[in-house]
Amino acid sequence: MTVLYTSRLYLEPLRVDHADILVESLQHPDIYRFIPTSPLASEALRKRYAFLEGRQSPDGKERWLNWVLFQKPGEGVVGT
């Protein structure tokens, strides 16, 4: 998949190695106020991202587009 760029931001397709970048910021409990789950530990997040990196449902009927949003290089991650 292609990386998408704007003048201030860029989006990368979600990959397993993004878990290492995002795990700390995804620990904040406010994120889960309306999501019925708990924060994932690093290895669990890597496993989830490995599943999502396939970009399709197990039966192949759905295509998944999951992205990680970054500020321009060196300025940090914004979110997923």
Side-chain angles (χ1 to χ4, degrees):
M1 275 187 127
T2 304
V3 175
L4 304 175
Y5 294 92
T6 72
S7 60
R8 297 180 307 135
L9 306 168
Y10 66 100
L11 285 84
E12 292 183 355
L14 183 73
R15 298 187 315 266
V16 171
D17 61 313
H18 288 130
D20 297 333
I21 298 168
L22 292 165
V23 69
E24 185 177 338
S25 62
L26 292 174
Q27 299 306 305
H28 198 286
D30 286 350
I31 295 171
Y32 303 94
R33 185 177 301 158
F34 302 106
I35 301 172
T37 189
S38 299
L40 297 175
S42 183
E43 190 55 39
L45 189 60
R46 289 181 66 77
K47 186 176 179 179
R48 172 138 178 85
Y49 283 7
F51 175 72
L52 294 174
E53 192 173 12
R55 296 183 179 76
Q56 65 180 355
S57 61
D59 64 7
K61 293 181 180 180
E62 298 175 5
R63 299 281 296 159
W64 299 335
L65 302 174
N66 295 288
W67 300 88
V68 178
L69 179 65
F70 294 90
Q71 294 177 348
K72 285 296 185 175
E75 297 182 30
V77 67
V78 175
T80 59

